[in-house]
Amino acid sequence: MGIAFSTKRLHKTTLLVLAITLHNIPEGLAVGVLFGAASTLVGAEQTEMIIAAISLAIGIGIQNFPEGFAVAMPLRRQGASRFKSFWYGQLSAIVEPLAAVLGAVAVSFFTPIL
Protein backbone atom coordinates (compact mmCIF):
# COMPACT_ATOMS: atom_id res chain seq x y z
CA MET A 1 0.00 0.00 0.00
CA GLY A 2 2.84 2.42 0.80
CA ILE A 3 4.35 2.06 -2.66
CA ALA A 4 1.01 2.51 -4.39
CA PHE A 5 0.30 5.60 -2.29
CA SER A 6 3.64 7.25 -3.07
CA THR A 7 3.34 6.37 -6.76
CA LYS A 8 -0.06 8.02 -6.91
CA ARG A 9 1.15 11.00 -4.95
CA LEU A 10 4.26 11.68 -7.00
CA HIS A 11 3.86 12.37 -10.66
CA LYS A 12 5.31 9.81 -13.07
CA THR A 13 7.77 12.32 -14.48
CA THR A 14 9.05 13.14 -11.01
CA LEU A 15 9.58 9.46 -10.36
CA LEU A 16 11.43 9.11 -13.67
CA VAL A 17 13.75 12.01 -12.87
CA LEU A 18 14.38 10.61 -9.40
CA ALA A 19 15.02 7.10 -10.74
CA ILE A 20 17.54 8.27 -13.32
CA THR A 21 19.26 10.51 -10.80
CA LEU A 22 19.57 7.64 -8.31
CA HIS A 23 20.74 5.36 -11.12
CA ASN A 24 23.63 7.76 -11.81
CA ILE A 25 25.10 7.47 -8.30
CA PRO A 26 26.58 3.95 -8.72
CA GLU A 27 27.86 4.90 -12.16
CA GLY A 28 29.80 7.77 -10.65
CA LEU A 29 31.03 5.54 -7.84
CA ALA A 30 32.33 3.02 -10.38
CA VAL A 31 34.38 5.66 -12.17
CA GLY A 32 35.69 7.09 -8.91
CA VAL A 33 36.66 3.69 -7.53
CA LEU A 34 38.58 2.91 -10.70
CA PHE A 35 40.47 6.22 -10.57
CA GLY A 36 41.06 5.75 -6.84
CA ALA A 37 42.45 2.27 -7.45
CA ALA A 38 44.74 3.66 -10.15
CA SER A 39 46.15 6.14 -7.65
CA THR A 40 47.35 3.26 -5.46
CA LEU A 41 49.38 1.64 -8.26
CA VAL A 42 52.68 2.57 -9.89
CA GLY A 43 54.26 2.18 -13.30
CA ALA A 44 52.62 0.34 -16.17
CA GLU A 45 49.82 -1.01 -13.98
CA GLN A 46 48.80 2.54 -13.05
CA THR A 47 48.81 3.60 -16.71
CA GLU A 48 46.61 0.66 -17.67
CA MET A 49 44.21 1.39 -14.82
CA ILE A 50 43.98 5.06 -15.77
CA ILE A 51 43.23 4.11 -19.39
CA ALA A 52 40.50 1.75 -18.13
CA ALA A 53 39.07 4.49 -15.89
CA ILE A 54 39.03 7.01 -18.73
CA SER A 55 37.38 4.46 -21.03
CA LEU A 56 34.69 3.75 -18.44
CA ALA A 57 34.11 7.48 -17.89
CA ILE A 58 33.74 8.09 -21.63
CA GLY A 59 31.38 5.12 -22.00
CA ILE A 60 29.18 6.27 -19.14
CA GLY A 61 29.30 9.83 -20.48
CA ILE A 62 28.05 8.68 -23.88
CA GLN A 63 25.32 6.64 -22.22
CA ASN A 64 24.21 9.73 -20.27
CA PHE A 65 23.05 11.54 -23.42
CA PRO A 66 19.94 9.37 -23.88
CA GLU A 67 19.32 9.47 -20.12
CA GLY A 68 19.28 13.27 -20.17
CA PHE A 69 16.96 13.14 -23.15
CA ALA A 70 14.71 10.71 -21.24
CA VAL A 71 14.46 13.27 -18.44
CA ALA A 72 14.01 16.33 -20.66
CA MET A 73 11.35 15.04 -23.05
CA PRO A 74 8.63 14.19 -20.50
CA LEU A 75 9.20 17.56 -18.82
CA ARG A 76 8.88 19.32 -22.18
CA ARG A 77 5.72 17.36 -22.93
CA GLN A 78 4.23 18.59 -19.66
CA GLY A 79 4.82 22.18 -20.71
CA ALA A 80 8.18 23.02 -19.17
CA SER A 81 10.30 25.41 -21.21
CA ARG A 82 13.10 24.09 -23.40
CA PHE A 83 15.69 25.62 -21.10
CA LYS A 84 14.12 24.17 -17.96
CA SER A 85 13.75 20.73 -19.55
CA PHE A 86 17.37 20.77 -20.72
CA TRP A 87 18.57 22.03 -17.34
CA TYR A 88 16.79 19.28 -15.40
CA GLY A 89 18.20 16.72 -17.81
CA GLN A 90 21.67 18.03 -17.03
CA LEU A 91 21.05 18.21 -13.30
CA SER A 92 19.94 14.58 -13.18
CA ALA A 93 23.56 13.62 -13.94
CA ILE A 94 25.26 16.05 -11.55
CA VAL A 95 25.34 13.34 -8.89
CA GLU A 96 27.82 11.33 -10.99
CA PRO A 97 30.92 13.50 -10.52
CA LEU A 98 30.05 13.93 -6.86
CA ALA A 99 29.79 10.16 -6.42
CA ALA A 100 33.03 9.71 -8.40
CA VAL A 101 34.90 11.92 -5.96
CA LEU A 102 33.36 10.01 -3.06
CA GLY A 103 34.41 6.69 -4.62
CA ALA A 104 37.98 7.84 -5.26
CA VAL A 105 38.32 9.18 -1.72
CA ALA A 106 36.89 5.97 -0.26
CA VAL A 107 39.37 3.80 -2.16
CA SER A 108 42.28 6.05 -1.20
CA PHE A 109 41.21 5.95 2.44
CA PHE A 110 40.34 2.26 2.81
CA THR A 111 43.15 0.68 0.76
CA PRO A 112 45.86 1.38 3.37
CA ILE A 113 43.56 0.08 6.11
CA LEU A 114 42.99 -3.18 4.24
Side-chain angles (χ1 to χ4, degrees), residues 11-46:
H11 198 275
K12 289 179 184 178
T13 303
T14 305
L15 291 174
L16 175 68
V17 171
L18 183 62
I20 290 177
T21 302
L22 289 174
H23 158 83
N24 285 334
I25 293 172
E27 290 178 355
L29 282 171
V31 172
V33 165
L34 205 49
F35 274 108
S39 71
T40 64
L41 301 173
V42 292
E45 290 177 337
Q46 184 181 37

Side-chain angles (χ1 to χ4, degrees), residues 7-86:
T7 309
K8 288 179 182 178
R9 188 170 183 154
L10 294 175
H11 198 275
K12 289 179 184 178
T13 303
T14 305
L15 291 174
L16 175 68
V17 171
L18 183 62
I20 290 177
T21 302
L22 289 174
H23 158 83
N24 285 334
I25 293 172
E27 290 178 355
L29 282 171
V31 172
V33 165
L34 205 49
F35 274 108
S39 71
T40 64
L41 301 173
V42 292
E45 290 177 337
Q46 184 181 37
T47 304
E48 291 174 8
M49 187 73 81
I50 289 173
I51 290 170
I54 290 170
S55 299
L56 179 64
I58 289 171
I60 289 176
I62 290 169
Q63 176 255 335
N64 281 341
F65 283 106
E67 283 182 359
F69 189 72
V71 169
M73 288 312 295
L75 291 170
R76 183 75 178 126
R77 205 172 351 171
Q78 286 183 347
S81 69
R82 288 181 181 173
F83 178 77
K84 190 173 185 179
S85 299
F86 174 79

Side-chain angles (χ1 to χ4, degrees), residues 70-112:
V71 169
M73 288 312 295
L75 291 170
R76 183 75 178 126
R77 205 172 351 171
Q78 286 183 347
S81 69
R82 288 181 181 173
F83 178 77
K84 190 173 185 179
S85 299
F86 174 79
W87 190 243
Y88 281 125
Q90 297 299 308
L91 286 177
S92 70
I94 197 69
V95 295
E96 268 187 45
L98 300 174
V101 170
L102 178 67
V105 168
V107 167
S108 300
F109 179 76
F110 287 114
T111 299

